[in-house]
Amino acid sequence: MRGNTWIARGLLIFSQLAALIIVVIVGQKPQENQAITSMPAIVTIPIIPPEKVSKTTSSHQINKVEFVANYQPRYEISWAHPNNYGQRYTQNVNGLPVNNQSIVVIHETVNSAASAINNFQTPHTNENAQVSYHALIKLDGTVVYIVPPQFRAFGAGNSVFRGAKGIETVKTHLQFPPSVNNFAYHVAFETPPDGRNNRKSHSGYTQVQYNSLAWLIAQSRVPEARITTHKAVDRSGSRIDPRSFDINKFFRLLKSYR
C-alpha cells in the first residue's frame, strides 16, 4: 500500500514537472532584434505600450489576418522609441470623427537598414525629427517590425491619399499639416548600396524584398486600390521613394499570396 502511495506521488510530481516545462517552452518570446525563422502574422506581434490601447481606433483593416502561401520570411523585432510614434486618433484636431479605411504606404530607407533603425530607436525631443515606419524589409528579405500596427507611425509628413472617395487626410497636430499617418501602415525597402544618395533611381530591390513585401501586405485585407507609395501621397514635392519600384511585379506577387 505504501509502495503504491509513493508511485502515485512520483507520477504526480513527474506530471507537474512536465507541465511546467511545457509552459516555459511555449511561453518563451523572441528578444528584441533577434532573428527568427518562423514569422507571425502582423496582428500577433507584441503590442506596446499597453496603456495606449484604449486610445486607439479598432476599425483599421490592417490587423485582419489571412494565412497565405508557404513563403515565410525571416523577421526581427526592433521597436522604435515611444516618442517616434503615437496613437491613432478617432477625432481630428477640430473634434470631428475620423474613420478612414486603412492604406499601405511603401517607402525606402535611402540609407542602410541599420542606420534607419538606429534613428527610429533614438529619442528625439524635436518633433520635426520624429520618424518611423511600421516595418522595414532588408536586402535579404528579413522583415523588421518597428511600430505595432495598432499605432500611428510617423512615416509621412504633409500628405494626402487620392482614392475613390476623393482626397483623404487627417490633421492630428495643431502645428503640422494634415497627413495620412492616422490611417496608414508604413513599410519600407532597405535601399541598395548604389542608391544611398539623391539620384532619382538605382539598381532596384532584391527579389526576396518583393517576396517579403507581398507576403506582409497579403496578411491584411487592404485592397490594391489603397496600396500606394510615399511619392504618391507626398505634398511637399520632395519625396520620390520608393525609387526604381516595379509596382506591376509587386501586384503580381501580392495576388499569388492572396
Side-chain angles (χ1 to χ4, degrees), residues 2 9 32 59 118 135 156 223:
R2 183 176 299 177
R9 289 179 180 178
E32 185 174 325
S59 61
N118 180 67

Side-chain angles (χ1 to χ4, degrees), residues 107-153:
H107 305 252
E108 71 172 282
T109 61
V110 179
N111 294 310
S112 68
S115 175
I117 293 168
N118 180 67
N119 188 29
F120 302 150
Q121 292 184 333
T122 300
H124 299 290
T125 56
N126 180 358
E127 289 186 90
N128 288 290
Q130 293 172 350
V131 62
S132 61
Y133 304 128
H134 289 96
L136 185 159
I137 301 175
K138 292 182 175 181
L139 294 173
D140 66 358
T142 299
V143 177
V144 184
Y145 287 122
I146 297 165
V147 172
Q150 291 81 0
F151 301 111
R152 178 171 50 93

Side-chain angles (χ1 to χ4, degrees), residues 65-84:
V65 174
E66 293 180 356
F67 293 103
V68 292
N70 293 320
Y71 177 76
Q72 290 285 313
R74 290 172 60 85
Y75 83 96
E76 298 171 1
I77 296 175
S78 296
W79 295 130
H81 188 275
N83 73 0
N84 286 322

Side-chain angles (χ1 to χ4, degrees), residues 85-186:
Y85 65 92
Q87 63 187 24
R88 293 191 189 270
Y89 293 101
T90 55
Q91 297 180 338
N92 64 17
V93 292
N94 298 314
L96 298 176
V98 290
N99 189 26
N100 303 75
Q101 184 182 6
S102 295
I103 65 172
V104 172
V105 181
I106 302 169
H107 305 252
E108 71 172 282
T109 61
V110 179
N111 294 310
S112 68
S115 175
I117 293 168
N118 180 67
N119 188 29
F120 302 150
Q121 292 184 333
T122 300
H124 299 290
T125 56
N126 180 358
E127 289 186 90
N128 288 290
Q130 293 172 350
V131 62
S132 61
Y133 304 128
H134 289 96
L136 185 159
I137 301 175
K138 292 182 175 181
L139 294 173
D140 66 358
T142 299
V143 177
V144 184
Y145 287 122
I146 297 165
V147 172
Q150 291 81 0
F151 301 111
R152 178 171 50 93
F154 301 157
N158 185 4
S159 56
V160 300
F161 175 71
R162 297 173 177 85
K165 298 179 181 179
I167 292 178
E168 297 180 51
T169 189
V170 178
K171 188 173 178 64
T172 59
H173 195 295
L174 289 172
Q175 298 177 7
F176 294 113
S179 78
V180 300
N181 289 339
N182 201 59
F183 54 97
Y185 183 85
H186 296 285

